[in-house]
Amino acid sequence: MINIFEVNETNKMIEQENLDVRTITLGISLMDCIDSDLEKVNEKIYRKITMTAKNLVQTGKDIEEEFGVPIVNKRISVTPIALVGGSACKKPEDYVTIAKTLDAAAKEVGVNFIGGYSALVQKGMTASDELLIRSIPEALAFTDRVCSSINLGSTKTGINMDAVKLMGEIVKETAEYTKDKDSIGCAKLVVFCNAPDDNPFMAGAFHGVSEADAIINVGVSGPGVVKVALEKVRGQNFEVLCETIKKTAFKITRVGQLVAQEASKRMGIPFGIIDLSLAPTPAIGDSVAGILEEIGLERVGAPGTTAALAMLNDQVKKGGVMASSYVGGLSGAFIPVSEDQGMIDAVAANALTIEKLEAMTCVCSVGLDMIAIPGDTTPATISGMIADEMAIGMVNQKTTAVRVIPVIGKGVGEKVEFGGLLGYAPIMPVNSFACDAFVNRGGRIPAPIHSFKN
């Protein structure tokens, strides 16, 4: 039985501590849209999305008004498009037409983003996969709401270094295509190792091939709530600290569970998972960095940062899994630079470097996220950064990702404004020593020995 104390507590979280549901994401299978005729593929995709998602945005608004819980984004994820367009697309430009169809459908139903302009190439690339990948720069330049993700490695298969090399080139080309907008196309492009099938967060969301025809996934947030809770136990020992984080994560996740169940019931679409990630925003007080500093760091990046983040991530998961039977997606703590004011301040203070961020990705929810780097960074260097992050994910059996933005025409010390949830970012220095000979070897890095579990 919910009592009045719990109602008041939740209201305070929403009104004063930035508690929100970050996203309701409707996953839609497009496998029944496959056709050898490109025009028919586009027609089927548009019709399937607009019919299935026609009530998504209004349902989200109704739940917001009825329960008083802010739902920041309403989004769609679809089957990886490389699987859907393979029979019809003969050149990269063909895939761009599908990207434009996805964009049109997203605008028609009113969602913020649509994810799934994706390919799964962890062990090898088909001709269709490569065509989609080569279409990404143009696709992201000529659409507004389409997000793209490519899975390059997994613990089971190793790392596809041919695809890693290609993606370094594609990231740089995407930056060039959108250089008039501070290379913002790269903010909608992420590469993964061990990508989950049920991730509701952009830019990495896609609808896994093992999922139902349609599914409702919800991503919660609430770093501000955790920080306020920790302020009340300042100076106390780690046992108290961990218990406080767990209890707070439980309460946050229960709000997401309520929203997910309501959305599922009202739309007649099965509930999939709750992603209980702590996802920051540029708003003051809504920062994962703020939590880490409340734990006892002068600045994020100081010695102890990785340990503090590991503890935070673990306690968030322990508390969250008690609040929902179906926890999935990424679930943990995000550490994007541009979307977290505390991270931005740490970079400005020279406390936080890319190398320290890489160490933190061993224990965080995802990886190197929303990091602006100099526009003259070479494709090979970007590929090297990707390879490092893929290796961390592969060996540690966790999801890792890279979303870096080489801002064409800008260098270290300058800032770039993205606006909205994407925030702004200081351009961070990148190691200037080359890795071209490593990246150009080609082939695959084999799966680690502990992957053999059959």
Side-chain angles (χ1 to χ4, degrees):
M1 179 70 71
I2 296 176
N3 59 44
I4 191 65
F5 172 78
E6 290 173 313
V7 171
N8 290 336
E9 186 180 45
T10 302
N11 286 340
K12 183 182 177 185
M13 289 179 182
I14 293 167
E15 293 170 4
Q16 300 176 26
E17 300 167 13
N18 296 309
L19 174 63
D20 58 48
V21 169
R22 184 55 48 86
T23 177
I24 296 177
T25 300
L26 172 59
I28 303 173
S29 173
L30 299 182
M31 295 303 286
D32 54 354
C33 299
I34 294 172
D35 199 290
S36 58
D37 185 312
L38 182 58
E39 188 173 335
K40 289 182 179 178
V41 171
N42 279 301
E43 288 174 2
K44 290 178 180 180
I45 288 173
Y46 185 83
R47 184 167 62 248
K48 179 77 179 281
I49 293 171
T50 53
M51 288 297 293
T52 308
K54 61 183 178 182
N55 297 323
L56 175 61
V57 172
Q58 189 58 50
T59 298
K61 290 179 179 177
D62 291 344
I63 293 171
E64 280 185 284
E65 291 174 7
E66 189 170 334
F67 293 94
V69 178
I71 302 171
V72 180
N73 292 292
K74 294 83 179 175
R75 298 166 171 170
I76 293 169
S77 63
V78 298
T79 307
I81 292 298
L83 300 175
V84 180
S87 298
C89 296
K90 309 304 179 189
K91 55 186 185 295
E93 292 77 12
D94 292 341
Y95 271 111
V96 174
T97 69
I98 296 180
K100 291 178 178 178
T101 296
L102 294 173
D103 200 48
K107 290 173 178 175
E108 174 63 25
V109 299
V111 295
N112 307 89
F113 290 109
I114 184 164
Y117 197 75
S118 307
L120 310 177
V121 298
Q122 55 266 33
K123 197 170 183 181
M125 284 186 289
T126 65
S128 175
D129 292 329
E130 186 171 348
L131 287 176
L132 179 133
I133 290 171
R134 293 191 181 279
S135 76
I136 287 172
E138 187 176 349
L140 296 184
F142 294 109
T143 59
D144 298 314
R145 306 186 189 188
V146 172
C147 291
S148 179
S149 59
I150 308 295
N151 195 64
L152 302 177
S154 75
T155 300
K156 274 294 195 182
T157 63
I159 304 171
N160 182 347
M161 288 301 294
D162 290 327
V164 168
K165 178 179 184 294
L166 177 58
M167 283 310 302
E169 297 165 1
I170 293 299
V171 169
K172 189 65 179 284
E173 191 178 339
T174 302
E176 290 281 0
Y177 261 82
T178 54
K179 63 183 179 182
D180 59 328
K181 298 178 181 177
D182 284 330
S183 302
I184 197 170
C186 296
K188 300 184 289 178
L189 172 60
V190 60
V191 295
F192 277 109
C193 179
N194 291 322
D197 282 358
D198 53 10
N199 168 24
F201 286 105
M202 300 298 170
F206 62 84
H207 187 71
V209 294
S210 62
E211 299 280 345
D213 192 57
I215 210 84
I216 292 284
N217 295 324
V218 166
V220 297
S221 185
V225 178
V226 175
K227 183 178 184 299
V228 170
L230 294 185
E231 289 172 358
K232 298 172 184 174
V233 296
R234 189 173 291 168
Q236 298 198 44
N237 65 28
F238 279 104
E239 183 179 353
V240 174
L241 189 70
C242 291
E243 285 299 308
T244 302
I245 295 170
K246 279 195 296 185
K247 290 176 182 177
T248 308
F250 177 89
K251 295 169 186 175
I252 293 169
T253 308
R254 289 301 282 176
V255 173
Q257 177 83 359
L258 172 65
V259 168
Q261 289 174 334
E262 279 297 316
S264 173
K265 181 173 67 177
R266 296 181 186 201
M267 294 187 69
I269 293 173
F271 160 51
I273 58 96
I274 299 289
D275 187 316
L276 47 92
S277 295
L278 294 179
T281 71
I284 301 299
D286 201 27
S287 162
V288 169
I291 298 173
L292 298 176
E293 290 169 5
E294 180 60 40
I295 288 172
L297 306 171
E298 181 180 3
R299 280 286 187 199
V300 170
T305 296
T306 306
L309 180 59
M311 182 205 65
L312 173 64
N313 230 31
D314 185 53
Q315 300 311 310
V316 165
K317 291 180 180 180
K318 286 174 177 172
V321 295
M322 292 297 292
S324 175
S325 297
Y326 299 103
V327 171
L330 299 167
S331 289
F334 285 5
I335 53 169
V337 173
S338 79
E339 299 171 15
D340 188 315
Q341 186 61 49
M343 293 287 181
I344 294 169
D345 293 342
V347 171
N350 295 317
L352 188 60
T353 64
I354 287 180
E355 287 74 20
K356 184 61 175 180
L357 280 165
E358 184 181 300
M360 293 164 68
T361 65
C362 297
V363 298
C364 81
S365 182
V366 194
L368 295 174
D369 195 19
M370 287 300 292
I371 297 172
I373 59 177
D376 60 0
T377 305
T378 68
T381 295
I382 295 170
S383 293
M385 296 170 69
I386 291 170
D388 285 342
E389 204 58 37
M390 299 301 99
I392 289 171
M394 176 183 73
V395 172
N396 290 294
Q397 304 178 68
K398 73 180 291 290
T399 301
T400 49
V402 175
R403 184 165 47 151
V404 294
I405 303 160
V407 185
I408 305 302
K410 292 190 176 181
V412 175
E414 296 184 79
K415 291 182 180 178
V416 55
E417 292 275 356
F418 299 119
L421 277 178
L422 298 179
Y424 74 96
I427 295 176
M428 300 182 70
V430 174
N431 192 307
S432 60
F433 287 89
C435 61
D436 299 57
F438 170 74
V439 169
N440 290 331
R441 281 181 177 273
R444 284 191 294 130
I445 292 177
I449 189 66
H450 59 254
S451 69
F452 301 111
K453 293 184 176 181
N454 289 343

